[in-house]
Amino acid sequence: MKRQHRVDIDIKVVRQAISGAGGSSAVINDWNDKRQSYLTLRQRGASVKWLVRAYGKSRTIGNAINKFGNCDFLNIRAAREKAAQVYAALGSGALPSMPRPVAPPEPQIWTWADVDREYQKSLTEPRWINNRIKHPKKGTQDDCRLAFAKAPIAAMKGIKVTELKPRDIILAVQEVHEVGKSHRQCVKCLAYVKAALSWALSHKMLQSGMEGMIAWWMPIQPPTPTPDEMKEKKARKTTLIEAKSKFSVDHMGELLVEHEEFCSGKTGNEKISPGIRWGLWWLAGTANRRFSTTALERKNLHQTDPFAEEPGWGYAEWPAELMKGQADFWLPLPPSLVHVANSSIIDWRALVTAEHGIGHKDSKWAFASTRRIGRNPDNADVSIYPSSLNAHLRNLRGLKDHNKDDHLEDLPNFWLHLVRSVSSNYLNKCVGVPKNAISLMLAHSMPTAPEDMSRTTRDFYVTCQSMPDKTIAMRAWTDALFGAYEKVGGKFPMPREAVGSRGRLEVSNRDGRQKLSRVSGASA
């Protein structure tokens, strides 16, 4: 049975024909073009072909379905051009012989090394997951790179994915566990191996030669922790619970006093860099994740908050790719934190100028590293690394080779991420602070998807970013933090260099965090 349709062939018609492919080969559907009456799109069974029918003759000129390796595929534009040529040739009787289609090459089957390389490459690019963009994360890239670099995992690199067996993965992960003596390491390794294979199956099925495979690796589980590891996990959980309940805002004040005294007493090669000194203040004041908060670009540090009810407030912003929640994040800054960020810039500029001269290139980071060459040799401008702040805490604890004095011996256990718990515990008991304001300040959630918002409107700034609620929480937390610091004798922190190349900051008294004034443009 043949069905004829006279239409203007466009992409909708092609899609309709392709969607019908796979039906009975006894039924033929012809879409005859209105513009080029000799051009026909024919669907029969699983095929959808382009035909030229004229002068009592019929010629197949190409395929409308773009299969992997399909050498005779034609889109609409190409089909129209080729149809005109064939039609003219049919009319003149000089139709050239049609080239015989070349069989598509067999896809090259990937090895584990190919999966490793291509999956790691995919992590450096934006991905589309659950109907939203997932931006690249350096932490994820580093974790994956280290997992695949483990010798037992790297040893699989020559195995083809079609020949990879569950025992290969199970034995490799078990060896990671035995050699590394870390259950967490083998869990991470297995998770990334499974993620990479699932990505290849879902997104590179034809290229990798995985067509027809099922995700047999998904049921594989990591080894059971050893009895000692179970005890260690339980002890770590107990330590975490105790630390969250014991460490208070008063302890934060004591820690910052010790931090300031420690920094002021270091000179020469042991001098604490401005990014580290002010970075700890910044992390304590913003109470956010150390990676995103320290990766603040100067252009995103705004000296004035146009919608703040009090003078001296500014705000900072971070793009979605730096945030765990993958959403743009804005945070109002009280004068004390504007001062902290500006002081970091002033001290960095003074230190680098002293070491490299006036003509040095400025940094784009508010908390810049004084090391002019980063871990990536082609990057001469880096922010401080979150791990550097962790190393500074170990230094304060006397856990580094050159320093054995524990300056925090009178304080409970503390690590950087604990600031989030300390701040939320305090704010939860703070009268007048809405509960949702705490989550908003700590970047727990965003009320609206970022792609649905405008960055330049008041609605985005005030409503979607909930800045008034965040301001309430930030005021309560920073007042408590600086109050605790001053209660144990801390003096309001000032830059080591009061004068920078572009200006200075003045503070009138110990309450100066509410009375900061910028002279001659202190920020970059």
Side-chain angles (χ1 to χ4, degrees), residues 284-302:
T286 58
N288 264 279
R289 296 176 179 89
R290 63 185 186 275
F291 174 78
S292 54
T293 49
T294 53
L296 174 68
E297 294 192 35
R298 295 183 186 184
K299 67 179 182 180
N300 293 330
L301 171 64
H302 303 281

Side-chain angles (χ1 to χ4, degrees), residues 313-515:
W313 281 68
Y315 71 98
E317 57 177 304
W318 291 265
E321 57 266 26
L322 289 180
M323 301 304 296
K324 183 177 181 180
Q326 297 285 294
D328 291 357
F329 180 61
W330 291 21
L331 191 67
L333 303 176
S336 55
L337 288 188
V338 175
H339 168 74
V340 164
N342 287 339
S343 296
S344 176
I345 295 169
I346 290 172
D347 276 348
W348 180 90
R349 184 180 293 126
L351 184 58
V352 174
T353 298
E355 293 180 353
H356 301 279
I358 297 178
H360 71 83
K361 184 179 179 181
D362 223 341
S363 174
K364 69 177 182 179
W365 304 104
F367 299 94
S369 171
T370 51
R371 182 172 56 187
R372 302 305 290 148
I373 301 296
R375 292 174 183 172
N376 185 350
D378 63 356
N379 183 8
D381 183 20
V382 293
S383 66
I384 60 169
Y385 291 99
S387 57
S388 299
L389 289 173
N390 289 328
H392 177 63
L393 280 182
R394 291 197 301 274
N395 205 0
L396 284 170
R397 283 284 186 193
L399 299 177
K400 303 197 87 174
D401 292 339
H402 61 276
N403 175 39
K404 298 300 181 182
D405 296 327
D406 186 355
H407 298 267
L408 307 180
E409 61 181 343
D410 295 329
L411 295 177
N413 282 329
F414 175 79
W415 51 93
L416 295 176
H417 199 72
L418 197 62
V419 176
R420 294 171 64 77
S421 298
V422 175
S423 62
S424 61
N425 287 344
Y426 174 81
L427 293 174
N428 265 318
K429 301 173 184 177
C430 195
V431 178
V433 178
K435 301 302 180 187
N436 72 307
I438 304 171
S439 289
L440 290 166
M441 169 187 148
L442 298 177
H444 283 164
S445 62
M446 277 290 291
T448 307
E451 57 267 25
D452 297 333
M453 300 185 294
S454 166
R455 292 176 57 85
T456 58
T457 63
R458 181 186 177 98
D459 285 344
F460 171 44
Y461 184 84
V462 177
T463 306
C464 294
Q465 283 288 343
S466 303
M467 295 296 272
D469 286 337
K470 290 178 183 177
T471 299
I472 295 172
M474 283 295 293
R475 180 188 294 110
W477 170 242
T478 52
D479 280 351
L481 180 69
F482 279 88
Y485 170 75
E486 293 173 351
K487 187 168 65 175
V488 289
K491 295 182 179 180
F492 190 73
M494 292 296 294
R496 284 180 173 174
E497 301 291 337
V499 179
S501 62
R502 299 188 186 180
R504 61 193 175 92
L505 293 175
E506 290 185 344
V507 181
S508 56
N509 53 34
R510 79 175 191 88
D511 294 322
R513 61 184 184 277
Q514 302 298 332
K515 300 178 181 180

